[in-house]
Amino acid sequence: MKTLRYLLLAFLLLAICPNANAQHLKKATEKQKRQMIAAITQTSAKIRTIRCDFTQVSVLSFLEDKATAKGKMSFTAPGSLVWQYTSPTRYTFSIEDGKVTTKSGGRTHSIDISNNKMYQNIVEMMMGSVSGQNLSSGRNFAVEMYVSEGEWIAFLTPLKADFKKMFKSVRLHFNKRKRTVQQVEMMSNNGDSIKITLSNIQTTYRR
């Protein structure tokens, strides 16, 4: 389940892939929503590679203080991903050629996702996210769009039972000018939350 959660985090980052202020939100009209999603989809479809650092802050019911972790992420279209935690502990997983590989404490473990429906769903959604389909298809999430100063924010509510168990809602903060994600917030049903902020983002695009 830990690996599944990390995979879900990764797909959300790629979903639509800069510090965000959730105040003074204005809900987009249906016309604005369609235009925003179309713009994000168009930009996402052109992405060739993404390289960035990230900071993850977790508020968990079993911890008195916030837990902060840092790391690096790299993505190469159409589906090569490396998600690496560098502090306070080192943990890496990668997705390539239909396999999920995790590395921790000198141990390496590989999973063939062709035999695991849950992994297939996550990877499918991740790839659909890069193309923008997760916002436009309506199959996996109900989506509402909001406008704030300098950014667009997508409020996603899971529709599938598997993901409802893991998260209550997700907020994706987009740089309005670049139309790429800069922050992800995830809320669990028990009140736990995870916030991931991307930095030093380097993106290349197809011509």
Side-chain angles (χ1 to χ4, degrees), residues 16 46 55 57 83 103 107 168 176 196 200:
I16 347 231
K46 297 178 181 179
T55 300
V57 178
W83 182 258
K103 296 181 181 180
R107 296 182 178 181
K168 179 180 180 180
K176 187 187 297 185
I196 298 175
N200 302 321

Side-chain angles (χ1 to χ4, degrees), residues 136-204:
S136 59
S137 70
R139 184 175 62 178
N140 299 311
F141 295 94
V143 181
E144 294 293 344
M145 300 296 296
Y146 290 80
V147 180
S148 183
E149 185 176 354
E151 66 178 2
W152 295 339
I153 305 176
F155 283 42
L156 279 65
T157 303
L159 297 177
K160 287 189 174 182
D162 288 337
F163 293 99
K164 286 182 179 180
K165 294 177 182 178
M166 299 179 70
F167 297 102
K168 179 180 180 180
S169 63
V170 177
R171 295 182 185 180
L172 301 170
H173 296 250
F174 295 84
N175 181 295
K176 187 187 297 185
R177 181 175 61 85
K178 296 182 179 180
R179 300 167 183 173
T180 54
V181 165
Q182 59 189 15
Q183 189 175 82
V184 179
E185 298 177 274
M186 286 161 283
M187 283 63 72
S188 299
N189 291 303
N190 65 353
D192 291 352
S193 66
I194 297 173
K195 180 188 292 186
I196 298 175
T197 302
L198 308 184
S199 60
N200 302 321
I201 304 169
Q202 298 179 356
T203 306
T204 63

Side-chain angles (χ1 to χ4, degrees), residues 15-200:
I16 347 231
C17 277
N19 197 12
N21 185 346
Q23 298 178 352
H24 308 299
L25 295 182
K26 181 180 179 180
K27 187 175 181 180
T29 65
E30 283 300 313
K31 181 179 179 180
Q32 289 174 324
K33 175 181 174 180
R34 290 193 299 270
Q35 292 173 337
M36 293 159 74
I37 291 176
I40 291 168
T41 301
Q42 185 178 29
T43 298
S44 299
K46 297 178 181 179
I47 291 175
R48 183 186 298 275
T49 64
I50 302 170
R51 304 283 188 275
C52 69
D53 299 325
F54 68 84
T55 300
Q56 176 179 314
V57 178
S58 303
V59 178
L60 306 174
S61 57
F62 57 87
L63 295 178
E64 292 185 3
D65 299 319
K66 296 179 181 179
T68 300
K70 296 185 177 182
K72 298 178 179 296
M73 186 272 286
S74 64
F75 169 79
T76 303
S80 175
L81 171 74
V82 178
W83 182 258
Q84 181 181 38
Y85 287 88
T86 57
S87 68
T89 59
R90 301 186 70 86
Y91 179 89
T92 302
F93 74 79
S94 60
I95 302 173
E96 190 167 12
D97 297 329
K99 288 187 178 182
V100 174
T101 301
T102 62
K103 296 181 181 180
S104 178
R107 296 182 178 181
T108 300
H109 180 62
S110 293
I111 302 170
D112 185 346
I113 64 173
S114 64
N115 298 320
N116 190 307
K117 186 64 175 178
M118 182 65 171
Y119 278 97
Q120 289 179 27
N121 288 338
I122 294 175
V123 173
E124 177 187 352
M125 284 188 291
M126 186 187 69
M127 299 307 142
S129 296
V130 176
S131 66
Q133 293 303 310
N134 277 344
L135 286 184
S136 59
S137 70
R139 184 175 62 178
N140 299 311
F141 295 94
V143 181
E144 294 293 344
M145 300 296 296
Y146 290 80
V147 180
S148 183
E149 185 176 354
E151 66 178 2
W152 295 339
I153 305 176
F155 283 42
L156 279 65
T157 303
L159 297 177
K160 287 189 174 182
D162 288 337
F163 293 99
K164 286 182 179 180
K165 294 177 182 178
M166 299 179 70
F167 297 102
K168 179 180 180 180
S169 63
V170 177
R171 295 182 185 180
L172 301 170
H173 296 250
F174 295 84
N175 181 295
K176 187 187 297 185
R177 181 175 61 85
K178 296 182 179 180
R179 300 167 183 173
T180 54
V181 165
Q182 59 189 15
Q183 189 175 82
V184 179
E185 298 177 274
M186 286 161 283
M187 283 63 72
S188 299
N189 291 303
N190 65 353
D192 291 352
S193 66
I194 297 173
K195 180 188 292 186
I196 298 175
T197 302
L198 308 184
S199 60
N200 302 321

